[in-house]
Amino acid sequence: VIPGGPAAFSCNVAVEDVILCVDGVSVVGETVDDVKRRIVGPEGIPIEVTLRHKRHSGEVKEHVVRLLRQPPVPFPERLSEGPIGLGLDLERMDDGSLVVRKLQNGGAASLSNQIRVGDKIVLVDGIRMNDVGQPVNGHLGFKMV
């Protein structure tokens, strides 16, 4: 998983996941070079990858990940370790919930293609956001719901 790439930003692709299909075509038994040729394509073109993932519990799960082909975003040394921002502005609503007000172009939230203006942030790394008044920061690969 390339840091700063679409798979990394999706938080749905992990090291040791097994690629089963690319755009609905089985790649089981194909060489690494053949699979790379199926994955690499013009920037901005969507891709659908079916993966087999082994969870920490030992359970094996297959799932489909939809990504948008784009070049990796280089991370300066200072952002590759420690807390990093997501490139979004949040607004606290009267009911205590957090709502995405703005996405920063080129930020992790925008590049993930999974967060949109108006989305309500419920959990970050399993922590409920209703009562948290701190910035939403985390380490590369942390999960936001």
Side-chain angles (χ1 to χ4, degrees), residues 53-81:
H53 176 76
K54 185 174 183 180
R55 296 180 175 194
H56 296 292
S57 65
E59 175 190 7
V60 176
K61 178 185 173 194
E62 290 183 12
H63 65 282
V64 176
V65 178
R66 290 169 186 82
L67 305 169
L68 192 62
R69 288 180 175 105
Q70 55 197 8
V73 174
F75 279 100
E77 189 71 28
R78 65 183 178 78
L79 291 182
S80 62
E81 302 216 2

PDB file of all heavy atoms in Angstrom, residues 53-81:
ATOM      1  N   HIS A  53      -9.318 -10.206   2.935  1.00  0.00           N
ATOM      2  CA  HIS A  53      -8.644  -9.598   4.075  1.00  0.00           C
ATOM      3  C   HIS A  53      -8.761 -10.514   5.282  1.00  0.00           C
ATOM      4  O   HIS A  53      -9.842 -11.003   5.597  1.00  0.00           O
ATOM      5  CB  HIS A  53      -9.295  -8.240   4.385  1.00  0.00           C
ATOM      6  CG  HIS A  53      -8.748  -7.576   5.597  1.00  0.00           C
ATOM      7  ND1 HIS A  53      -7.526  -6.945   5.601  1.00  0.00           N
ATOM      8  CD2 HIS A  53      -9.250  -7.451   6.851  1.00  0.00           C
ATOM      9  CE1 HIS A  53      -7.305  -6.450   6.818  1.00  0.00           C
ATOM     10  NE2 HIS A  53      -8.327  -6.741   7.578  1.00  0.00           N
ATOM     11  N   LYS A  54      -7.627 -10.743   5.943  1.00  0.00           N
ATOM     12  CA  LYS A  54      -7.632 -11.520   7.179  1.00  0.00           C
ATOM     13  C   LYS A  54      -7.617 -10.554   8.348  1.00  0.00           C
ATOM     14  O   LYS A  54      -6.690  -9.762   8.504  1.00  0.00           O
ATOM     15  CB  LYS A  54      -6.424 -12.450   7.248  1.00  0.00           C
ATOM     16  CG  LYS A  54      -6.437 -13.369   8.446  1.00  0.00           C
ATOM     17  CD  LYS A  54      -5.297 -14.359   8.394  1.00  0.00           C
ATOM     18  CE  LYS A  54      -5.371 -15.307   9.567  1.00  0.00           C
ATOM     19  NZ  LYS A  54      -4.277 -16.282   9.535  1.00  0.00           N
ATOM     20  N   ARG A  55      -8.679 -10.572   9.155  1.00  0.00           N
ATOM     21  CA  ARG A  55      -8.787  -9.682  10.313  1.00  0.00           C
ATOM     22  C   ARG A  55      -7.905 -10.172  11.453  1.00  0.00           C
ATOM     23  O   ARG A  55      -7.428 -11.293  11.452  1.00  0.00           O
ATOM     24  CB  ARG A  55     -10.240  -9.628  10.782  1.00  0.00           C
ATOM     25  CG  ARG A  55     -11.157  -9.017   9.755  1.00  0.00           C
ATOM     26  CD  ARG A  55     -12.562  -8.985  10.245  1.00  0.00           C
ATOM     27  NE  ARG A  55     -13.403  -8.295   9.286  1.00  0.00           N
ATOM     28  CZ  ARG A  55     -14.602  -7.877   9.550  1.00  0.00           C
ATOM     29  NH1 ARG A  55     -15.129  -8.068  10.738  1.00  0.00           N
ATOM     30  NH2 ARG A  55     -15.302  -7.252   8.632  1.00  0.00           N
ATOM     31  N   HIS A  56      -7.720  -9.274  12.439  1.00  0.00           N
ATOM     32  CA  HIS A  56      -6.905  -9.632  13.602  1.00  0.00           C
ATOM     33  C   HIS A  56      -7.475 -10.846  14.321  1.00  0.00           C
ATOM     34  O   HIS A  56      -6.740 -11.617  14.918  1.00  0.00           O
ATOM     35  CB  HIS A  56      -6.800  -8.455  14.580  1.00  0.00           C
ATOM     36  CG  HIS A  56      -6.083  -7.281  13.999  1.00  0.00           C
ATOM     37  ND1 HIS A  56      -4.747  -7.287  13.707  1.00  0.00           N
ATOM     38  CD2 HIS A  56      -6.529  -6.052  13.628  1.00  0.00           C
ATOM     39  CE1 HIS A  56      -4.389  -6.124  13.187  1.00  0.00           C
ATOM     40  NE2 HIS A  56      -5.461  -5.353  13.127  1.00  0.00           N
ATOM     41  N   SER A  57      -8.783 -11.027  14.259  1.00  0.00           N
ATOM     42  CA  SER A  57      -9.441 -12.159  14.932  1.00  0.00           C
ATOM     43  C   SER A  57      -9.189 -13.469  14.201  1.00  0.00           C
ATOM     44  O   SER A  57      -9.529 -14.533  14.713  1.00  0.00           O
ATOM     45  CB  SER A  57     -10.948 -11.909  14.997  1.00  0.00           C
ATOM     46  OG  SER A  57     -11.503 -11.898  13.684  1.00  0.00           O
ATOM     47  N   GLY A  58      -8.613 -13.400  12.999  1.00  0.00           N
ATOM     48  CA  GLY A  58      -8.386 -14.603  12.197  1.00  0.00           C
ATOM     49  C   GLY A  58      -9.464 -14.817  11.151  1.00  0.00           C
ATOM     50  O   GLY A  58      -9.303 -15.630  10.239  1.00  0.00           O
ATOM     51  N   GLU A  59     -10.579 -14.094  11.268  1.00  0.00           N
ATOM     52  CA  GLU A  59     -11.670 -14.204  10.299  1.00  0.00           C
ATOM     53  C   GLU A  59     -11.204 -13.673   8.939  1.00  0.00           C
ATOM     54  O   GLU A  59     -10.528 -12.657   8.844  1.00  0.00           O
ATOM     55  CB  GLU A  59     -12.865 -13.389  10.789  1.00  0.00           C
ATOM     56  CG  GLU A  59     -14.010 -13.332   9.802  1.00  0.00           C
ATOM     57  CD  GLU A  59     -15.083 -12.334  10.206  1.00  0.00           C
ATOM     58  OE1 GLU A  59     -14.892 -11.586  11.185  1.00  0.00           O
ATOM     59  OE2 GLU A  59     -16.107 -12.310   9.517  1.00  0.00           O
ATOM     60  N   VAL A  60     -11.563 -14.407   7.880  1.00  0.00           N
ATOM     61  CA  VAL A  60     -11.221 -13.983   6.525  1.00  0.00           C
ATOM     62  C   VAL A  60     -12.473 -13.433   5.865  1.00  0.00           C
ATOM     63  O   VAL A  60     -13.535 -14.049   5.914  1.00  0.00           O
ATOM     64  CB  VAL A  60     -10.651 -15.164   5.707  1.00  0.00           C
ATOM     65  CG1 VAL A  60     -10.386 -14.748   4.271  1.00  0.00           C
ATOM     66  CG2 VAL A  60      -9.385 -15.695   6.357  1.00  0.00           C
ATOM     67  N   LYS A  61     -12.337 -12.233   5.270  1.00  0.00           N
ATOM     68  CA  LYS A  61     -13.481 -11.553   4.677  1.00  0.00           C
ATOM     69  C   LYS A  61     -13.104 -11.067   3.284  1.00  0.00           C
ATOM     70  O   LYS A  61     -12.006 -10.561   3.074  1.00  0.00           O
ATOM     71  CB  LYS A  61     -13.880 -10.374   5.555  1.00  0.00           C
ATOM     72  CG  LYS A  61     -15.017  -9.548   5.026  1.00  0.00           C
ATOM     73  CD  LYS A  61     -15.257  -8.328   5.892  1.00  0.00           C
ATOM     74  CE  LYS A  61     -16.291  -7.437   5.225  1.00  0.00           C
ATOM     75  NZ  LYS A  61     -16.341  -6.125   5.793  1.00  0.00           N
ATOM     76  N   GLU A  62     -14.024 -11.220   2.339  1.00  0.00           N
ATOM     77  CA  GLU A  62     -13.839 -10.636   1.014  1.00  0.00           C
ATOM     78  C   GLU A  62     -14.667  -9.367   0.934  1.00  0.00           C
ATOM     79  O   GLU A  62     -15.789  -9.324   1.429  1.00  0.00           O
ATOM     80  CB  GLU A  62     -14.277 -11.616  -0.079  1.00  0.00           C
ATOM     81  CG  GLU A  62     -13.342 -12.791  -0.211  1.00  0.00           C
ATOM     82  CD  GLU A  62     -13.717 -13.732  -1.347  1.00  0.00           C
ATOM     83  OE1 GLU A  62     -14.580 -13.376  -2.186  1.00  0.00           O
ATOM     84  OE2 GLU A  62     -13.149 -14.829  -1.385  1.00  0.00           O
ATOM     85  N   HIS A  63     -14.096  -8.328   0.332  1.00  0.00           N
ATOM     86  CA  HIS A  63     -14.832  -7.085   0.170  1.00  0.00           C
ATOM     87  C   HIS A  63     -14.373  -6.358  -1.097  1.00  0.00           C
ATOM     88  O   HIS A  63     -13.281  -6.591  -1.593  1.00  0.00           O
ATOM     89  CB  HIS A  63     -14.704  -6.184   1.403  1.00  0.00           C
ATOM     90  CG  HIS A  63     -13.322  -5.691   1.677  1.00  0.00           C
ATOM     91  ND1 HIS A  63     -12.348  -6.458   2.266  1.00  0.00           N
ATOM     92  CD2 HIS A  63     -12.740  -4.496   1.442  1.00  0.00           C
ATOM     93  CE1 HIS A  63     -11.243  -5.759   2.388  1.00  0.00           C
ATOM     94  NE2 HIS A  63     -11.442  -4.560   1.889  1.00  0.00           N
ATOM     95  N   VAL A  64     -15.256  -5.499  -1.600  1.00  0.00           N
ATOM     96  CA  VAL A  64     -14.980  -4.730  -2.804  1.00  0.00           C
ATOM     97  C   VAL A  64     -14.632  -3.302  -2.401  1.00  0.00           C
ATOM     98  O   VAL A  64     -15.307  -2.698  -1.585  1.00  0.00           O
ATOM     99  CB  VAL A  64     -16.205  -4.732  -3.753  1.00  0.00           C
ATOM    100  CG1 VAL A  64     -15.951  -3.844  -4.955  1.00  0.00           C
ATOM    101  CG2 VAL A  64     -16.535  -6.157  -4.193  1.00  0.00           C
ATOM    102  N   VAL A  65     -13.555  -2.792  -2.983  1.00  0.00           N
ATOM    103  CA  VAL A  65     -13.116  -1.418  -2.730  1.00  0.00           C
ATOM    104  C   VAL A  65     -13.183  -0.664  -4.050  1.00  0.00           C
ATOM    105  O   VAL A  65     -12.668  -1.131  -5.066  1.00  0.00           O
ATOM    106  CB  VAL A  65     -11.673  -1.390  -2.175  1.00  0.00           C
ATOM    107  CG1 VAL A  65     -11.203   0.028  -1.972  1.00  0.00           C
ATOM    108  CG2 VAL A  65     -11.588  -2.176  -0.883  1.00  0.00           C
ATOM    109  N   ARG A  66     -13.842   0.484  -4.040  1.00  0.00           N
ATOM    110  CA  ARG A  66     -13.919   1.341  -5.221  1.00  0.00           C
ATOM    111  C   ARG A  66     -12.993   2.525  -5.018  1.00  0.00           C
ATOM    112  O   ARG A  66     -13.110   3.247  -4.026  1.00  0.00           O
ATOM    113  CB  ARG A  66     -15.352   1.797  -5.446  1.00  0.00           C
ATOM    114  CG  ARG A  66     -16.235   0.662  -5.890  1.00  0.00           C
ATOM    115  CD  ARG A  66     -17.721   1.023  -5.864  1.00  0.00           C
ATOM    116  NE  ARG A  66     -18.543  -0.125  -6.150  1.00  0.00           N
ATOM    117  CZ  ARG A  66     -18.901  -1.052  -5.265  1.00  0.00           C
ATOM    118  NH1 ARG A  66     -18.496  -0.951  -4.018  1.00  0.00           N
ATOM    119  NH2 ARG A  66     -19.651  -2.074  -5.617  1.00  0.00           N
ATOM    120  N   LEU A  67     -12.063   2.710  -5.952  1.00  0.00           N
ATOM    121  CA  LEU A  67     -11.060   3.765  -5.852  1.00  0.00           C
ATOM    122  C   LEU A  67     -11.076   4.605  -7.114  1.00  0.00           C
ATOM    123  O   LEU A  67     -11.604   4.191  -8.148  1.00  0.00           O
ATOM    124  CB  LEU A  67      -9.664   3.151  -5.685  1.00  0.00           C
ATOM    125  CG  LEU A  67      -9.480   2.179  -4.519  1.00  0.00           C
ATOM    126  CD1 LEU A  67      -8.160   1.449  -4.643  1.00  0.00           C
ATOM    127  CD2 LEU A  67      -9.546   2.928  -3.204  1.00  0.00           C
ATOM    128  N   LEU A  68     -10.477   5.772  -7.026  1.00  0.00           N
ATOM    129  CA  LEU A  68     -10.303   6.646  -8.177  1.00  0.00           C
ATOM    130  C   LEU A  68      -8.808   6.720  -8.456  1.00  0.00           C
ATOM    131  O   LEU A  68      -8.032   7.079  -7.573  1.00  0.00           O
ATOM    132  CB  LEU A  68     -10.865   8.035  -7.873  1.00  0.00           C
ATOM    133  CG  LEU A  68     -11.032   8.977  -9.035  1.00  0.00           C
ATOM    134  CD1 LEU A  68     -12.018   8.412 -10.061  1.00  0.00           C
ATOM    135  CD2 LEU A  68     -11.528  10.327  -8.546  1.00  0.00           C
ATOM    136  N   ARG A  69      -8.419   6.333  -9.674  1.00  0.00           N
ATOM    137  CA  ARG A  69      -6.988   6.338 -10.004  1.00  0.00           C
ATOM    138  C   ARG A  69      -6.455   7.763  -9.942  1.00  0.00           C
ATOM    139  O   ARG A  69      -7.031   8.671 -10.527  1.00  0.00           O
ATOM    140  CB  ARG A  69      -6.768   5.775 -11.405  1.00  0.00           C
ATOM    141  CG  ARG A  69      -6.993   4.287 -11.492  1.00  0.00           C
ATOM    142  CD  ARG A  69      -6.755   3.808 -12.912  1.00  0.00           C
ATOM    143  NE  ARG A  69      -6.836   2.371 -13.020  1.00  0.00           N
ATOM    144  CZ  ARG A  69      -7.864   1.723 -13.555  1.00  0.00           C
ATOM    145  NH1 ARG A  69      -8.894   2.384 -14.041  1.00  0.00           N
ATOM    146  NH2 ARG A  69      -7.860   0.405 -13.625  1.00  0.00           N
ATOM    147  N   GLN A  70      -5.354   7.937  -9.215  1.00  0.00           N
ATOM    148  CA  GLN A  70      -4.690   9.228  -9.113  1.00  0.00           C
ATOM    149  C   GLN A  70      -3.278   8.999  -8.619  1.00  0.00           C
ATOM    150  O   GLN A  70      -2.996   7.986  -7.994  1.00  0.00           O
ATOM    151  CB  GLN A  70      -5.442  10.157  -8.166  1.00  0.00           C
ATOM    152  CG  GLN A  70      -5.659   9.590  -6.793  1.00  0.00           C
ATOM    153  CD  GLN A  70      -6.741  10.357  -6.051  1.00  0.00           C
ATOM    154  OE1 GLN A  70      -7.403  11.197  -6.596  1.00  0.00           O
ATOM    155  NE2 GLN A  70      -6.907  10.060  -4.793  1.00  0.00           N
ATOM    156  N   PRO A  71      -2.382   9.936  -8.912  1.00  0.00           N
ATOM    157  CA  PRO A  71      -1.008   9.764  -8.448  1.00  0.00           C
ATOM    158  C   PRO A  71      -0.943   9.898  -6.935  1.00  0.00           C
ATOM    159  O   PRO A  71      -1.759  10.592  -6.334  1.00  0.00           O
ATOM    160  CB  PRO A  71      -0.247  10.907  -9.128  1.00  0.00           C
ATOM    161  CG  PRO A  71      -1.284  11.899  -9.513  1.00  0.00           C
ATOM    162  CD  PRO A  71      -2.580  11.151  -9.682  1.00  0.00           C
ATOM    163  N   PRO A  72       0.021   9.220  -6.318  1.00  0.00           N
ATOM    164  CA  PRO A  72       0.187   9.364  -4.869  1.00  0.00           C
ATOM    165  C   PRO A  72       0.500  10.811  -4.500  1.00  0.00           C
ATOM    166  O   PRO A  72       1.147  11.527  -5.253  1.00  0.00           O
ATOM    167  CB  PRO A  72       1.375   8.464  -4.537  1.00  0.00           C
ATOM    168  CG  PRO A  72       1.511   7.542  -5.691  1.00  0.00           C
ATOM    169  CD  PRO A  72       0.980   8.271  -6.889  1.00  0.00           C
ATOM    170  N   VAL A  73       0.009  11.215  -3.340  1.00  0.00           N
ATOM    171  CA  VAL A  73       0.298  12.544  -2.813  1.00  0.00           C
ATOM    172  C   VAL A  73       1.547  12.411  -1.946  1.00  0.00           C
ATOM    173  O   VAL A  73       1.551  11.652  -0.986  1.00  0.00           O
ATOM    174  CB  VAL A  73      -0.879  13.060  -1.960  1.00  0.00           C
ATOM    175  CG1 VAL A  73      -0.531  14.381  -1.299  1.00  0.00           C
ATOM    176  CG2 VAL A  73      -2.123  13.174  -2.806  1.00  0.00           C
ATOM    177  N   PRO A  74       2.632  13.125  -2.299  1.00  0.00           N
ATOM    178  CA  PRO A  74       3.844  13.000  -1.479  1.00  0.00           C
ATOM    179  C   PRO A  74       3.611  13.587  -0.090  1.00  0.00           C
ATOM    180  O   PRO A  74       3.010  14.641   0.048  1.00  0.00           O
ATOM    181  CB  PRO A  74       4.901  13.790  -2.252  1.00  0.00           C
ATOM    182  CG  PRO A  74       4.135  14.685  -3.163  1.00  0.00           C
ATOM    183  CD  PRO A  74       2.785  14.054  -3.396  1.00  0.00           C
ATOM    184  N   PHE A  75       4.083  12.879   0.912  1.00  0.00           N
ATOM    185  CA  PHE A  75       3.979  13.348   2.287  1.00  0.00           C
ATOM    186  C   PHE A  75       5.325  13.902   2.719  1.00  0.00           C
ATOM    187  O   PHE A  75       6.314  13.193   2.702  1.00  0.00           O
ATOM    188  CB  PHE A  75       3.601  12.200   3.239  1.00  0.00           C
ATOM    189  CG  PHE A  75       2.149  11.904   3.253  1.00  0.00           C
ATOM    190  CD1 PHE A  75       1.646  10.850   2.525  1.00  0.00           C
ATOM    191  CD2 PHE A  75       1.272  12.672   3.986  1.00  0.00           C
ATOM    192  CE1 PHE A  75       0.304  10.573   2.520  1.00  0.00           C
ATOM    193  CE2 PHE A  75      -0.074  12.403   4.001  1.00  0.00           C
ATOM    194  CZ  PHE A  75      -0.560  11.344   3.263  1.00  0.00           C
ATOM    195  N   PRO A  76       5.363  15.178   3.096  1.00  0.00           N
ATOM    196  CA  PRO A  76       6.613  15.697   3.640  1.00  0.00           C
ATOM    197  C   PRO A  76       6.999  14.895   4.875  1.00  0.00           C
ATOM    198  O   PRO A  76       6.146  14.303   5.536  1.00  0.00           O
ATOM    199  CB  PRO A  76       6.268  17.143   4.032  1.00  0.00           C
ATOM    200  CG  PRO A  76       5.006  17.460   3.305  1.00  0.00           C
ATOM    201  CD  PRO A  76       4.295  16.154   3.079  1.00  0.00           C
ATOM    202  N   GLU A  77       8.270  14.865   5.158  1.00  0.00           N
ATOM    203  CA  GLU A  77       8.786  14.105   6.305  1.00  0.00           C
ATOM    204  C   GLU A  77       8.004  14.419   7.575  1.00  0.00           C
ATOM    205  O   GLU A  77       7.661  13.544   8.347  1.00  0.00           O
ATOM    206  CB  GLU A  77      10.271  14.443   6.507  1.00  0.00           C
ATOM    207  CG  GLU A  77      10.959  13.567   7.522  1.00  0.00           C
ATOM    208  CD  GLU A  77      11.164  12.142   7.043  1.00  0.00           C
ATOM    209  OE1 GLU A  77      11.273  11.919   5.834  1.00  0.00           O
ATOM    210  OE2 GLU A  77      11.190  11.255   7.907  1.00  0.00           O
ATOM    211  N   ARG A  78       7.654  15.678   7.796  1.00  0.00           N
ATOM    212  CA  ARG A  78       6.973  16.062   9.030  1.00  0.00           C
ATOM    213  C   ARG A  78       5.558  15.506   9.120  1.00  0.00           C
ATOM    214  O   ARG A  78       4.985  15.445  10.191  1.00  0.00           O
ATOM    215  CB  ARG A  78       6.950  17.575   9.186  1.00  0.00           C
ATOM    216  CG  ARG A  78       6.156  18.285   8.133  1.00  0.00           C
ATOM    217  CD  ARG A  78       6.238  19.808   8.307  1.00  0.00           C
ATOM    218  NE  ARG A  78       5.526  20.486   7.269  1.00  0.00           N
ATOM    219  CZ  ARG A  78       4.213  20.629   7.219  1.00  0.00           C
ATOM    220  NH1 ARG A  78       3.460  20.169   8.179  1.00  0.00           N
ATOM    221  NH2 ARG A  78       3.639  21.256   6.217  1.00  0.00           N
ATOM    222  N   LEU A  79       4.966  15.107   7.984  1.00  0.00           N
ATOM    223  CA  LEU A  79       3.612  14.552   8.021  1.00  0.00           C
ATOM    224  C   LEU A  79       3.585  13.033   7.995  1.00  0.00           C
ATOM    225  O   LEU A  79       2.543  12.434   8.163  1.00  0.00           O
ATOM    226  CB  LEU A  79       2.796  15.070   6.825  1.00  0.00           C
ATOM    227  CG  LEU A  79       2.448  16.540   6.837  1.00  0.00           C
ATOM    228  CD1 LEU A  79       1.610  16.885   5.614  1.00  0.00           C
ATOM    229  CD2 LEU A  79       1.690  16.907   8.096  1.00  0.00           C
ATOM    230  N   SER A  80       4.720  12.399   7.757  1.00  0.00           N
ATOM    231  CA  SER A  80       4.707  10.953   7.620  1.00  0.00           C
ATOM    232  C   SER A  80       4.700  10.242   8.964  1.00  0.00           C
ATOM    233  O   SER A  80       4.456   9.059   9.031  1.00  0.00           O
ATOM    234  CB  SER A  80       5.887  10.481   6.770  1.00  0.00           C
ATOM    235  OG  SER A  80       7.100  10.826   7.400  1.00  0.00           O
ATOM    236  N   GLU A  81       4.955  10.951  10.053  1.00  0.00           N
ATOM    237  CA  GLU A  81       4.916  10.346  11.374  1.00  0.00           C
ATOM    238  C   GLU A  81       4.217  11.303  12.329  1.00  0.00           C
ATOM    239  O   GLU A  81       4.275  12.505  12.165  1.00  0.00           O
ATOM    240  CB  GLU A  81       6.333  10.074  11.871  1.00  0.00           C
ATOM    241  CG  GLU A  81       7.078   9.166  10.922  1.00  0.00           C
ATOM    242  CD  GLU A  81       7.988   8.215  11.642  1.00  0.00           C
ATOM    243  OE1 GLU A  81       8.017   8.233  12.879  1.00  0.00           O
ATOM    244  OE2 GLU A  81       8.647   7.448  10.956  1.00  0.00           O
TER     245      GLU A  81
END
